[in-house]
Every structure is written in C-alpha cells, then in structure tokens.
Amino acid sequence: MLKVENLKVRYGAVTAVKDVCLEVLEGEMVSLLGANGSGKTTTMLAIAGALKAVSGKVTFKGKDITALSPERVLRNGIAMVPETREVFPDLTVRENLILGGFIHRRKRQQSYQDLEQMLDLFPVLGERQGQLSGTLSGGEQQQLVIARAMMSRPKLLLLDEPSLGLAPAIVHHIYEFINRLRATGLTILLVEQNAKMALQNAERAYVMSLGKVAKKGRAAEIAASSDLEALYLGG
Ligand SMILES: Nc1ncnc2c1ncn2[C@@H]1O[C@H](COP(=O)(O)OP(=O)(O)O)[C@@H](O)[C@H]1O
Ligand SMILES: [Mg+2]
C-alpha cells in the first residue's frame, strides 16, 4: 500500500534521513522504532508531504505522492497524527472533530455520521463533546487528535509517538483504541519510543539508526533480537 524508496531528507546542512526504504501492506500495523534523533519523525513528515524529500520516492496505492502537498496527501487517504498532539484548545471536542472532516466536501449528513461514529468509538470524547479541548487530560487529547485524523477517512494513519508522556495505564488504553481502529480495516504506520508496546501490537517493525533502517522484520523476531538495545543506545 505504501512504499518508501531511498528516501533522503535534509534540514539545511543536516541530513536527518539518509536512505530509508520501507513498505506497509494493506491492513498491517508496521512500527518504526529507533533512538531519539534517528529520523523517525522526519521520515513520517516526508511521507505526509510536510517535508520535501531531497531524493527518493514515496508511492501510495501505486501512485507517486513524493512531491504532493500535505493537503493532497491527505486527500489521497493518508492522515498523520503528529507527536506534538495539538488540539485547538479554545474549541470544543466536537468542533475539533468537525474540523478534521473539512478536507472532503461531503454532504452534511455524512460528516455527522462520521462524527457520531467517532464519538461512539471514543466514549470519553462523546461524554465531553461540549468541553473545551484545552481542558482535556493528555490521554484524552491523544484520543481527540487520533479521532480528528480519522474524520478525514484515511486509509493509512501515520501515528507519531502516541504514548509519549502518558502513564502506562493510559498507554494501554490508547492502544485499545488503536486496535479498535485497526479492526475497521485501517492500515497504520506507528512511530514509537516505547518499543515493547509497539512490538506487542504491530505485525512488523523497522528499526532506524542515524537516518537509516538498521534492522527490519516480524515484530516477534525484532523483540527477540539481542542487538535491539544496542541499536537504541548506540543511536
Ligand atoms: N527542524 C529541524 N531542524 C534541524 N534539524 C532537525 C529538525 N528536526 C529534526 N532535526 C534533526 O534531524 C534528526 C532526526 O530527527 P527526528 O526525525 O525528529 O528523529 P526522531 O523522530 O527519530 O526522534 C535529528 O538529528 C534532529 O536533531
Ligand atoms: Mg520523533
């Protein structure tokens, strides 16, 4: 479904992603792991069209999307939930969700159906739909940004560090929701610092180190590999 070939991305003189190749098949959850600064977020931003690739190619469902704007990438069915977890704090939960659906010119009725579906799928958002989003807890805001991204009806969801800064019990809760979304047929590329959580849930994983893919395989194989810790500690 998604194919990234020899991706290279620079910030000025700094080459953050040197040569990344990865693939995500339809229906899979694939995890992108690696130490802080290894290039995971940069890879995701380039897939989403938010950063321009210096070279390499991104193909989605057979279409070359390398040079598309973030809006065009979204319209093609790829939504990203950035690690910054930004809600519109002065808008209600419901208003935040409605904004997520604006990318498609749809009949009002359809947008309301999508909204109701998200409020059902994330019960806490349903309970708090009239509450200002800035007053939600971290875990609730994480649910909101995921649900808001789903309002664009993506086929592929890019999730950057959904567990960042959340207590373990909340992290388990977030993964329950992620797995519920997967059950609806959603394909996911997941960036995680929390390798244990990612490898328990994903089918396959890529481990990045210094802007390259240092290791790839089935999640169980990666979890059992002896050099995983070294890859993290070595950056
Ligand atoms: N806006 C930026 N300007 C310059 N360098 C950046 C910027 N964002 C990230 N980097 C650098 O790019 C590298 C990869 O960062 P990033 O993709 O955020 O890694 P990760 O998500 O794996 O922690 C790091 O060395 C980081 O310092
Ligand atoms: Mg990151």
Side-chain angles (χ1 to χ4, degrees):
M1 188 182 219
L2 177 78
K3 194 170 185 182
V4 176
E5 295 166 275
N6 309 106
L7 183 71
K8 186 171 177 174
V9 189
R10 271 196 208 121
Y11 298 101
V14 180
T15 306
V17 167
K18 295 189 179 113
D19 181 21
V20 166
C21 299
L22 63 87
E23 235 177 319
V24 182
L25 307 180
E26 188 160 6
E28 268 191 320
M29 178 149 86
V30 173
S31 183
L32 199 52
L33 305 173
N36 232 331
S38 58
K40 304 179 300 294
T41 295
T42 305
T43 299
M44 244 186 196
L45 288 170
I47 294 169
L51 287 174
K52 287 276 155 279
V54 176
S55 57
K57 190 174 176 188
V58 182
T59 316
F60 182 60
K61 295 208 257 167
K63 180 177 174 177
D64 185 349
I65 61 160
T66 319
L68 296 188
S69 67
E71 190 194 328
R72 301 286 308 171
V73 172
L74 186 59
R75 279 186 194 282
N76 274 278
I78 302 180
M80 177 165 174
V81 178
E83 61 188 334
T84 46
R85 203 177 290 162
E86 275 164 38
V87 299
F88 300 105
D90 300 329
L91 298 182
T92 65
V93 166
R94 192 180 175 87
E95 288 163 344
N96 266 270
L97 288 172
I98 290 170
L99 285 176
F102 268 14
I103 192 83
H104 298 298
R105 281 184 211 92
R106 281 197 303 254
K107 293 208 171 74
R108 182 172 296 227
Q109 187 58 32
Q110 262 177 332
S111 301
Y112 278 113
Q113 274 171 13
D114 288 356
L115 178 65
E116 291 309 322
Q117 195 197 349
M118 285 307 136
L119 295 176
D120 277 352
L121 214 54
F122 297 88
V124 74
L125 300 181
E127 287 160 22
R128 292 165 182 260
Q129 54 180 292
Q131 187 174 326
L132 294 186
S133 302
T135 64
L136 297 175
S137 72
E140 290 160 358
Q141 290 190 353
Q142 183 63 63
Q143 292 179 51
L144 177 56
V145 290
I146 293 173
R148 190 177 61 197
M150 289 306 298
M151 288 290 291
S152 71
R153 293 193 174 185
K155 298 281 178 282
L156 171 68
L157 189 65
L158 307 176
L159 274 176
D160 197 355
E161 308 245 17
S163 70
L164 194 72
L166 301 178
I170 309 292
V171 172
H172 278 276
H173 205 51
I174 296 291
Y175 272 84
E176 266 176 43
F177 288 117
I178 292 173
N179 285 322
R180 260 186 235 175
L181 293 174
R182 290 189 67 195
T184 68
L186 184 69
T187 306
I188 298 177
L189 179 61
L190 168 77
V191 163
E192 263 294 358
Q193 272 285 311
N194 188 336
K196 191 163 168 250
M197 204 63 204
L199 292 171
Q200 273 171 14
N201 287 278
E203 271 104 16
R204 290 189 303 117
Y206 293 84
V207 186
M208 285 188 69
S209 176
L210 303 171
K212 291 183 179 174
V213 172
K215 200 173 182 62
K216 63 175 180 173
R218 313 287 317 163
E221 289 164 20
I222 300 277
S225 66
S226 53
D227 55 351
L228 185 63
E229 204 174 312
L231 280 171
Y232 266 78
L233 297 176

